[in-house]
Amino acid sequence: MCGIAGLHLRDPELYPQLGALLQAMLGQAAERGTDAAGVGLYRDPPAGLSTVCVVDAPAGAVVPGADAVTMGQTTVFTASVPPSELEARVRLALPDAVLTSRGTHLSVLKGTGHPHALAETFDLASARGYQGVAHTRMATESAVTSTGSHPYSVGPDQCMVHNGSFANHATIRRALRASGVVFDSENDTEVGARFVAQQLADGADVEKALRLLCERFDGFYTLLVATSNSFAVVRDAIACKPAVIAETDRWVAMASEYRYLTGLPGISTARIFEPEPEVVYVWER
Amino acid sequence: MGTVIDLSVTSVRSLNADLHALPAGATDSIRVLRPDGRHSLAAGLDRPVTVEIDGHAGYYCAGMNQLATVSVHGNVGVGVAENMMSGRVHVHGDASQSAGATAHGGLLVIDGNASARCGISMKGADIVVGGDAGHMSAFMAQAGRLVICGDAGDALGDSIYEARIYVRGSVASLGADCVQKEMSPSHLAELSLLLAAAGRAEDPSEFRRYGSARTLYHFHSDNAY
């Protein structure tokens, strides 16, 4: 199983409600996965501020020159330095920590446990921003650990959540490792995220990266992929993993099941449809 | 005046328990408000009751239906009327995948579009889709009739047995062992009845018929690996 929900806000008046709206969606998605959960939250940061998130950092972990906030199993470090500089400082200070996001707009908060409880530790209800993705996990391909939780963010301000399982992830992981890519987990979705990150780094746009993923990956997947300025959905050719999209002038939302969307303002007049198999849907900010 | 049940204050379990507790032969009318995509609404009914669902329903709405008439004034999730035995289920919006899966009897009408695998393994039901139907519709369909007033997606009727498919629009591709067949007067007559039963105004002469070429019924060495 696993549940996915995402919300891309078009109306800035809704930005203060991002977390509350996403929490309601995540709460409904909990029935599709109670092993773990996570969210990726996008906001417009103060100029020059970077964010790096880490799971399972030691209690009281300190990174020189950075502010730290603990959100359950995730620690969020922020500093007024470029993201690469903050990432280097975090890696130096916490050599064993696993980075779950790095960039200027995105924070990835995730961990093991029931999604309802995790949402409280994330203080999700008070989060502000312009875009968010959420995932509830029922583990199939790898262990129930915080690093095996979604979202996967392996490139700057990139984020992927996945419902399904990739069949040939081991083959593609070997190929990526051979080209120098380093992995944080044995999770199949991380392979998809690393593949997309590599395509984006090589110059592809999100649509092309996801079309290439469809060509290369076997298995079942409904994917929600976000970057600082885009929100994208794609399903495999069989399309057995559910997905529904709703769209109004104020927002675009995607969910595994329609009922996650019922709390969104204006849902009764939204355009509602299911994404077609192997068609990449992208909304840009 | 019938009963009104508001699912923002009543649980689905309570709704279905009340419907199942009606006496045999009951013909009550029940209106369901605020379904909000909840799953398993009006599932397992076996009385000739009428249920009107005022909004979008989730998975397996009217699943296993017998005798009842269920109308959904909205969209439905996966598996509407799955394994229906008899009765009538009418979706006024769109249906998600596997609509009418394995249904043995009754009539399923979808005014909007049906997603993938509509009528998968259907075993005798009739399904009328007003709009388009997604890929792999009527996959392994054994008996019954599937009418698609719009277009059909890829692999229509893959590995079909003896169900009959009528399509008015285009067919993206036919599945294994599914072929276009002659439209005889008897087929036009049955299609006319199905369209009328579904409240459709399409002209039966604009449809084409598809069914099994029956080449997969028996072992053939060319099909072995």
Side-chain angles (χ1 to χ4, degrees):
Chain A
M1 288 249 265
C2 295
I4 295 176
L7 183 59
H8 171 86
L9 297 176
R10 290 169 160 159
D11 181 354
E13 285 186 10
L14 291 172
Y15 291 179
Q17 298 177 50
L18 176 75
L21 293 170
L22 198 62
Q23 183 164 6
M25 297 166 79
L26 178 73
Q28 292 279 327
E31 287 183 22
R32 291 185 66 89
T34 53
D35 290 332
V39 295
L41 301 169
Y42 288 85
R43 60 169 183 154
D44 290 313
L49 193 72
S50 297
T51 301
V52 168
C53 294
V54 167
V55 283
D56 298 335
V62 173
V63 172
D67 293 327
V69 177
T70 301
M71 307 282 241
Q73 294 154 57
T74 303
T75 307
V76 183
F77 295 99
T78 52
S80 293
V81 296
S84 56
E85 168 64 20
L86 180 57
E87 180 175 348
R89 287 190 199 176
V90 171
R91 289 196 186 281
L92 189 64
L94 306 169
D96 297 327
V98 174
L99 272 62
T100 55
S101 70
R102 75 282 286 151
T104 51
H105 293 66
L106 172 68
S107 300
V108 167
L109 312 174
K110 62 185 186 179
T112 56
H114 195 281
H116 291 171
L118 288 167
E120 296 300 324
T121 69
F122 302 155
D123 193 19
L124 187 54
S126 58
R128 303 162 63 97
Y130 62 87
Q131 176 170 278
V133 303
H135 185 268
T136 60
R137 183 170 187 232
M138 185 169 287
T140 54
E141 291 292 309
S142 64
V144 179
T145 59
S146 49
T147 53
S149 311
H150 300 219
Y152 276 95
S153 174
V154 300
D157 289 325
Q158 298 164 21
C159 194
M160 173 186 283
V161 291
H162 174 201
N163 174 202
S165 56
F166 292 128
N168 60 342
H169 65 95
T171 306
I172 299 170
R173 183 188 286 111
R174 271 197 300 277
L176 288 171
R177 275 187 174 139
S179 68
V181 174
V182 176
F183 283 79
D184 293 327
S185 74
E186 291 302 308
N187 185 282
D188 59 322
T189 306
E190 186 183 350
V191 184
R194 300 258 175 216
F195 178 86
V196 169
Q198 190 175 61
Q199 302 305 327
L200 294 175
D202 289 346
D205 61 12
V206 170
E207 182 174 358
K208 185 177 181 189
L210 291 178
R211 278 195 282 110
L212 291 168
L213 181 145
C214 289
E215 286 177 18
R216 189 76 195 280
F217 283 72
D218 288 334
F220 298 123
Y221 50 90
T222 290
L223 296 172
L224 177 56
V225 174
T227 67
S228 61
N229 64 353
S230 70
F231 182 85
V233 175
V234 70
R235 303 169 83 187
D236 67 82
I238 304 294
C240 74
K241 295 299 179 187
V244 60
I245 292 170
E247 188 172 12
T248 72
D249 292 342
R250 304 183 75 196
W251 46 262
V252 177
M254 179 271 172
S256 297
E257 302 172 18
Y258 166 76
R259 63 194 172 120
Y260 309 173
L261 308 176
T262 55
L264 294 175
I267 184 66
S268 61
T269 55
R271 185 172 83 92
I272 298 167
F273 63 99
E274 289 194 354
E276 298 282 328
E278 289 199 329
V279 174
V280 179
Y281 297 80
V282 183
W283 292 267
E284 290 189 336
R285 196 175 180 212
Chain B
M1 176 158 169
T3 308
V4 176
I5 295 179
D6 183 343
L7 289 179
S8 65
V9 293
T10 304
S11 71
V12 173
R13 184 167 295 219
S14 171
L15 164 71
N16 285 338
D18 287 352
L19 292 169
H20 298 158
L22 293 168
T27 57
D28 298 44
S29 292
I30 296 97
R31 188 158 172 236
V32 179
L33 307 179
R34 297 288 305 273
D36 286 348
R38 290 179 175 84
H39 298 332
S40 308
L41 299 179
L45 303 188
D46 58 358
R47 309 281 192 266
V49 296
T50 300
V51 179
E52 301 272 342
I53 297 173
D54 202 0
H56 303 311
Y59 289 10
Y60 311 124
C61 179
M64 303 174 284
N65 188 54
Q66 296 185 67
L67 302 174
T69 298
V70 178
S71 298
V72 182
H73 299 278
N75 303 327
V76 291
V78 173
V80 62
E82 52 97 22
N83 215 57
M84 174 164 62
M85 304 302 288
S86 62
R88 178 188 173 103
V89 176
H90 191 158
V91 178
H92 291 268
D94 297 333
S96 184
Q97 57 194 4
S98 302
T102 74
H104 291 244
L107 174 64
L108 169 61
V109 179
I110 297 160
D111 287 346
N113 300 317
S115 189
R117 293 173 282 276
C118 178
I120 181 173
S121 199
M122 55 193 281
K123 295 176 168 65
D126 293 322
I127 303 174
V128 179
V129 180
D132 303 334
H135 64 275
M136 299 292 279
S137 286
F139 176 51
M140 295 186 74
Q142 289 142 58
R145 286 85 55 95
L146 171 62
V147 179
I148 301 168
C149 298
D151 301 332
D154 280 312
L156 177 70
D158 192 280
S159 307
I160 190 172
Y161 292 83
E162 291 306 308
R164 294 191 285 283
I165 306 173
Y166 298 98
V167 183
R168 180 166 174 264
S170 65
V171 174
S173 65
L174 291 172
D177 209 34
C178 184
V179 292
Q180 186 173 345
K181 294 190 158 186
E182 176 199 359
M183 186 75 107
S184 71
S186 67
H187 295 120
L188 278 171
E190 87 166 358
L191 176 57
S192 298
L193 290 173
L194 287 165
L195 289 168
R200 305 292 313 179
E202 283 82 2
D203 179 350
S205 68
E206 295 174 351
F207 286 74
R208 281 157 290 126
R209 182 171 74 96
Y210 299 88
S212 175
R214 303 186 178 111
T215 62
L216 297 178
Y217 274 35
H218 305 290
F219 176 77
H220 191 290
S221 60
D222 286 348
N223 294 335
Y225 286 106

